Amino acid sequence: MDESDTTAILPGDLLAVTSAADQESDRPAAKDGSDEAAAAVSVRPPPRCPVPVSVEPVLFLSMFSLVLQTPLSTQYLRDRISEDLGYNGTRRSGCSNSSVTPDPLQEEVDILTAHWNLYINLGGFSVGLLVVPLLGSWSDLAGRRPILILPNLGLALQAVVYLIVMYLKLPVGYFLLGRVLSGLSGDFSAILAGCFSYIADTSNRRSRTFRVAVLEACLGLSGMLASIIGGQWRRAQGYINPFWLVLATNLAAALYASLFVRESVSPDPRAKLFTTRHHKAVWHLYSTGGSSSEGGGRFHRCKLWLYTLCFFLVVTIHSGSRELYVLYELSSPLCWGPILIGYGSAAQNLAYLSSLLGLKIMQCCLQDSWVALVSLASNIAGLVVFSVADTTQLMFTGYGLCFLFMAVTPVLRSKLSKLVDPSEQGALFASVACVESLCFLVGSGVFNSLYPATLHFMKGFTFLFAAIILLIPAGIIGTLQCLDQRRNHRDATTS
């Protein structure tokens, strides 16, 4: 079935045809066209829901729990380490006057907190790096709902471990156990892979960029609410009660996915999880460029790799710098409290909504690549301001400049999705989920190591470094867009 035929099919029918093609690709090739048609017809289409229920609530609830617990766990780590080192957290000497030399004990607390963040994230994301591609590609055959339910249950189990540590005041090293258990179930990256695969199944090429942006806007809205609630709640009642909400939210997301989300592919009861087929599908996609590269050749395959590289760099910067905002704001000269930290995180997550609005407006007059470049410029400007921010006003100015920073990721996801056939979407998003897990791993390692190493000469150097790195994907996206326009112009003149 060619692309012109696919665009004429209704969404529910497109799901059945796509899933049939996915399942058929895992079986031996048919001898003739009649066998293929019989096999496709024999596949029972998934049940269609009479109301427009989708995966946005699952992602909303999962992101809410993640954003609620991330700054709280960092602050808990810092408080426990301060208690162990005998640092009382007094800020009158270092926070009232930015010219005062920082307390060496405070710097040691910051360094140990950053290192423990690194160890905990390394444990979780290194396990998830192996599990996520299995789950993502497996969902092509077993259905999308399993990779929406299992990771949420894993995150709920992580919250249980964190609660036990807080109740019993166990060593903070037990946080690592919770992260590993979450990583074994796919962690939040598997939820992202399932949600974006579901959107690719249920959208056409024209609307895909905006549908992906809507899904990412759910990340921002839930993150903004969780940030405001978390800061106020932690100040009023401490750490334990908010983590009970984290547990309840993850369980609610798993329950919603199991009861209300209808399958976008037809589940195959013979599908196996532990098989090399899933990794081979990802390798075949990137080694050959996919089925749709037959006409584009080497240039098509290079675009697939280069857009993946851009996605890797952008998400690495986003995830790595996000982990440092709380530490940067807690210590001198800013010395923010829980309420200001909550407002700062909310301002950052508000950029998801402003990016969605900006993307919709810019798409009226700009191509997706130029939208991505505007988004990167917004991100770079904000990071440069963060690198020199020594007042609350300047810090919020940086958050304001980043109001379009999230518009680049839906563009890159959409471009990658459009480079492959509908029957290869599962393998693509499995690889994207794998890359995203690697982004969290590399971002956590690089930024949590670079931040304490550069405190002695420039506290905000890490943000300046991030701004410089973002120039690389900006150059790649701009170059590829110019090459595409030149090829299109050449084809138009020769025809």
Side-chain angles (χ1 to χ4, degrees), residues 66 164 188 218 235 238 257 272 286 310 349 357 387 395 407 410 424-425:
L66 183 69
I164 293 174
F188 184 69
C218 292
R235 185 178 184 182
K272 295 181 181 180
Y286 277 88
C310 292
N349 287 286
L357 179 61
S387 67
M395 195 70 186
E424 298 169 322
Q425 294 293 331

Side-chain angles (χ1 to χ4, degrees), residues 8 31 100 119 164 186 213 281 308 370-371 459:
K31 297 296 183 181
V100 176
Y119 303 148
I164 293 174
T308 302
W370 305 126
V371 173
K459 188 174 182 179

Side-chain angles (χ1 to χ4, degrees), residues 57 88 99 295 380 443:
N88 60 10
S99 63
I380 291 171

Side-chain angles (χ1 to χ4, degrees), residues 189-370:
S189 296
I191 300 174
L192 287 177
C195 290
F196 286 114
S197 297
Y198 194 95
I199 292 300
D201 294 337
T202 58
S203 63
N204 55 43
R205 294 172 61 89
R206 178 173 299 180
S207 64
R208 189 164 303 164
T209 301
F210 186 71
R211 285 290 306 276
V212 171
V214 170
L215 199 60
E216 294 199 355
C218 292
L219 298 174
L221 181 59
S222 61
M224 181 177 59
L225 294 177
S227 300
I228 296 175
I229 293 173
Q232 299 279 1
W233 203 353
R234 182 261 174 187
R235 185 178 184 182
Q237 298 184 355
Y239 296 102
I240 292 179
N241 287 340
F243 266 89
W244 278 109
L245 180 60
V246 171
L247 174 60
T249 306
N250 286 127
L251 292 177
L255 185 63
Y256 176 89
S258 62
L259 294 180
F260 299 106
V261 175
R262 299 299 181 96
E263 282 293 354
S264 58
V265 298
S266 296
D268 185 354
R270 299 171 299 175
K272 295 181 181 180
L273 174 59
F274 299 104
T275 173
T276 59
R277 183 261 177 197
H278 306 307
H279 291 97
K280 288 180 180 179
V282 175
W283 169 253
H284 177 266
L285 180 65
Y286 277 88
S287 61
T288 64
S291 302
S292 61
S293 66
E294 296 177 358
R298 184 179 302 175
F299 181 68
H300 184 97
R301 185 170 64 253
C302 288
K303 286 174 65 177
L304 190 65
W305 278 99
L306 288 175
Y307 281 131
T308 302
L309 174 62
C310 292
F311 183 83
F312 170 78
L313 292 174
V314 170
V315 177
T316 298
I317 295 301
H318 288 176
S319 61
S321 59
R322 182 186 295 272
E323 291 189 5
L324 298 182
Y325 288 130
V326 174
L327 283 178
Y328 191 78
E329 294 160 355
L330 278 171
S331 57
S332 62
L334 293 174
C335 302
W336 283 9
I339 294 180
L340 275 178
I341 290 175
Y343 287 145
S345 185
Q348 184 184 20
N349 287 286
L350 184 62
Y352 284 89
L353 299 180
S354 58
S355 297
L356 173 64
L357 179 61
L359 184 144
K360 185 64 175 178
I361 295 174
M362 288 188 290
Q363 277 189 323
C364 298
C365 55
L366 294 175
Q367 295 181 343
D368 283 354
S369 294
W370 305 126

